[in-house]
Each structure stands twice: as C-alpha cells, then as structure tokens.
Amino acid sequence: MAAALLPATPVASADAPVPEEIPVGLLVDLSTGQTLFSREADRRFVPASVTKVMTAYTAFKLVEEGELRLDMPFLYSAALEEEWYAEGSNMFLRAGERPTIAQLLLGITTVSGNDASVALAIAATGSLEDWIALMNANAQELGMRNTHFGSANGFPDGGQTYTTASDLALLGQAITQRYPGLYRRYFGHRTLRWRDITQSNHDPVTGRVEGADGMKTGYTNEAGFTFLGSAERNDHRLVMVLASAPTTEIRDDAARALLEWGFANFERATLAEAGAIIGSAEVQDGSAQRVNLRLEHDFAVALPVGSTPERWDVAIVYRGPIEAPVAAGEIVARLRLSVDGEIALEAPLLAAADVEEANVLERISNAFGSWIG
C-alpha cells in the first residue's frame, strides 16, 4: 500500500535548487510519504493544462471500472471543431474524424490537446458538465480539499479552476500508484503524430532526467508556467510541483534540478518491517492494562545524506490511555521520526490484540495496580 503523504516540515530543503522567482514548489518521496522540499505548498493557484492530469486520472478510473473502453471511437462534431480547433494546445482534430479513447488520451498526455480533453469528456459521460462533476468527485475522494475544476482542459474559466501543490502531489501519487500500467502506457511519450501533424511533448524531464516519466506542463498568462512531474529510480518515486514560474526556462531548469537533488541528497532505508511489534500503549478500563502496537507497513524513511542517529528521535505518540474496548488491527497510535526537532515521518501503529472492557474484578485489580505503581 502507498505511504500516506505527510504534511510535515521538510527534513532538508535549504539547499534545494528552486529559485526564488518560483513562488510555489513541492517535492515528495512517495515511497515514504515524506516532504523533501516545500514552498507555499497550500497556496492556491491556477493549474492551467495541469488540469489534464485529472482528466487522464478520471479516464483511467473509468477504464479500470469497466465503464469506458479504450478502443471506443468518438465522432468528432463540426460544433467541437468550430469551438476548439487550434484553440491553445491542440491535437488538431477535424469534424468527421473518429479518434478512439486511447488516441484521445495520447493527445491529452502528449500534446496537451484542449480539443482532445473535451472530446474525451463528452465521449465518456455525454456532457462536459457531467464530466467536470466526476473530476471534482474524484478530487474529493483523493483528499484534494483545496481544489476545484471548472473545465476538462484547464482553459481560462474565470477562476473556477484552482488547486495547490499539496493537492497535485496527491493526484500524482494516485495516478502513478493506482493505475501504473495505464500511466506507463499514456505518459512519457516524446512526440505524437495525428494525420500529417507531428508535435513534441513539452514535458521538461522525461528523457532528460534518469527515471523521469511525466507528467504535465501548464501555462496561461494568468497562471504562469507550472509543472507536475515524476521520476522513479530503484523503486523510489518522487513527485514534484512547480507553479507560477515567470518563464518556461526557469521552470524547466528548476524541475530537472529538483528531481536530481531529491535523488542525490537522501538515503533511503527501512528502519522496521511491517508487522513488527514496536512497543505498547496504556489501556484504560480494559481486561489488560497495555496493548502491544505493530506496524501496518514498513517504516521506510528518506534521510539527508550524512544524517547521524544523534539527530534522530523516534517516539510512539497517542492520546492516552486508550479507552477499552480495543479491536486488533485498530489504528491506536503513530510512530514518529523527528530529525533535528522537525517531524520527518509518521506511520500508523495498530493494536496487536483485542482488549475487552474490564469486568468488575479486573477494574479493581487495575486500580490497585495503578495505586501500587
């Protein structure tokens, strides 16, 4: 299971290569859920064409649920051509053409087709309104609390579409880890040819940074230059967001440098394996006074290169004592790792056994034991 993204102070970010001209930035290690770099991660901004990652995610979800077929053709209408032909980034669809869902997805992920995004939306649900409602429902399900979509393609819509770097990191985690096969199939292509038109992908990291495989750039005059990107090396995946950069060159250079920095400056290790008993927690009014705590997942961590155990602090945290009854497998505490006094990682701890409510004799015994203690 994927690690939950941790909204904590980055374990090391002072030397991250993100220039001050870029007001919003975030780098997350999905293997551990840790934030490695953060700048205004919860500040709202206009995502522009990065919106299309949610369009792709929504399509992937429908495909996996059997509600949408990749080989299904869609008759592109004259009305859609009139509205969207050559309007911003484009696949250059023409009326009467019958692209499949698979072809539309490539048009979205590779050349950021505004026309392809609208065509896919209508093909899948029958209307833009229904599709956008589905996008927003998916955003809520992913925990993207500061995000709203007003279009399928990120075209300027009077401020209806907005998001944050933290929310886009959740989307990046979901699309790469819930639908890895579809992600690999549709993201990371360098060019797309439709009829006699060949276009290049503007993704600044794929093919330029080892392990990089997407995802999406965005630009409007209002939004500036934005990028949601990802790369994977040795089973460790990073997701990054840069928003509102003043130029494409500044954004692209920073995107490549930030991913390289994230891989080069952190050592990754598993400190404890899933199922390990970490300690115990006090139980109130239970048949036992304490319950053992076990890890739900591996306690894997990314630490700054050169970090020493003297800088670490590991603690079991919970609101206690925990009131009985306690069910085995219930999350009752968290294991917290701090580096230099800042929270670097937390992981859920589960009760390792059932603890029933104490009967009268057990309550007397517990009270006596507490008094003696």
Side-chain angles (χ1 to χ4, degrees):
M1 183 178 291
L5 302 192
L6 178 66
T9 304
V11 292
S13 62
D15 59 343
V18 180
E20 293 298 326
E21 298 99 311
I22 301 179
V24 176
L26 183 65
L27 180 67
V28 175
D29 187 328
L30 295 189
S31 306
T32 66
Q34 287 172 259
T35 297
L36 306 184
F37 169 79
S38 180
R39 178 185 294 161
E40 298 285 353
D42 294 318
R43 171 177 166 180
R44 288 182 178 181
F45 58 85
V46 176
S49 283
V50 177
T51 296
K52 291 161 186 161
V53 178
M54 177 54 86
T55 288
Y57 174 86
T58 301
F60 291 176
K61 189 170 187 287
L62 291 175
V63 169
E64 288 291 303
E65 292 171 349
E67 299 294 326
L68 186 64
R69 293 192 348 264
L70 291 169
D71 62 353
M72 184 182 82
F74 173 69
L75 176 60
Y76 198 70
S77 69
L80 286 174
E81 179 184 337
E82 174 68 23
E83 184 174 5
W84 289 106
Y85 188 81
E87 193 68 63
S89 301
N90 229 254
M91 189 174 167
F92 296 105
L93 294 167
R94 289 290 195 182
E97 292 183 326
R98 292 179 175 269
T100 64
I101 296 298
Q103 289 170 325
L104 291 174
L105 274 168
L106 285 172
I108 292 165
T109 58
T110 306
V111 297
S112 193
N114 287 328
D115 51 353
S117 300
V118 173
L120 188 148
I122 295 172
T125 62
S127 73
L128 274 176
E129 292 75 18
D130 287 347
W131 178 264
I132 293 167
L134 199 54
M135 292 171 68
N136 284 312
N138 287 337
Q140 289 301 301
E141 187 267 331
L142 293 177
M144 299 172 67
R145 304 303 180 209
N146 289 300
T147 294
H148 183 268
F149 295 106
S151 75
N153 53 23
F155 205 74
D157 58 11
Q160 294 183 65
T161 299
Y162 55 82
T163 190
T164 66
S166 295
D167 281 2
L168 286 181
L170 290 171
L171 177 58
Q173 178 187 42
I175 199 168
T176 57
Q177 297 190 349
R178 295 189 183 187
Y179 309 114
L182 289 168
Y183 176 76
R184 287 191 296 269
R185 179 173 176 178
Y186 289 103
F187 282 87
H189 296 274
R190 298 309 307 157
T191 61
L192 177 71
R193 182 180 179 85
W194 182 252
R195 292 193 314 277
D196 58 345
I197 302 171
T198 300
Q199 298 182 77
S200 297
N201 193 336
H202 293 155
D203 168 3
V205 298
T206 303
R208 298 174 175 87
V209 173
E210 179 188 349
D213 50 17
M215 298 174 206
K216 192 73 197 69
T217 58
Y219 169 75
T220 65
N221 288 332
E222 178 186 13
F225 294 88
T226 296
F227 180 57
L228 167 61
S230 187
E232 185 176 34
R233 297 181 190 173
N234 301 319
D235 296 323
H236 292 284
R237 180 173 287 279
L238 303 183
V239 162
M240 56 151 297
V241 181
L242 298 175
S244 306
T247 69
T248 184
E249 292 81 7
I250 290 174
R251 177 200 63 191
D252 292 357
D253 289 346
R256 291 187 284 267
L258 186 58
L259 285 175
E260 294 287 6
W261 175 86
F263 284 115
N265 286 274
F266 294 87
E267 298 173 318
R268 292 160 177 86
T270 299
L271 303 184
E273 294 184 349
I277 300 298
I278 299 301
S280 64
E282 185 180 358
V283 178
Q284 178 178 322
D285 297 332
S287 57
Q289 293 187 6
R290 304 192 70 83
V291 62
N292 284 339
L293 304 173
R294 66 175 177 85
L295 277 169
E296 184 177 13
H297 310 295
D298 288 351
F299 194 59
V301 61
L303 291 169
V305 171
S307 177
T308 59
E310 291 77 19
R311 298 171 57 192
W312 309 354
D313 179 66
V314 181
I316 295 173
V317 293
Y318 63 96
R319 291 187 177 184
I322 300 164
E323 189 172 349
V326 179
E330 180 183 352
I331 297 175
V332 294
R334 302 189 72 79
L335 184 62
R336 175 180 292 170
L337 171 68
S338 299
V339 179
D340 295 333
E342 301 287 357
I343 299 173
L345 182 65
E346 287 187 343
L349 291 173
L350 312 182
D354 293 329
V355 180
E356 303 295 336
E357 286 188 88
N359 58 35
V360 173
L361 289 177
E362 288 169 333
R363 286 174 185 265
I364 293 172
S365 176
N366 290 344
F368 184 73
S370 298
W371 178 72
I372 292 295

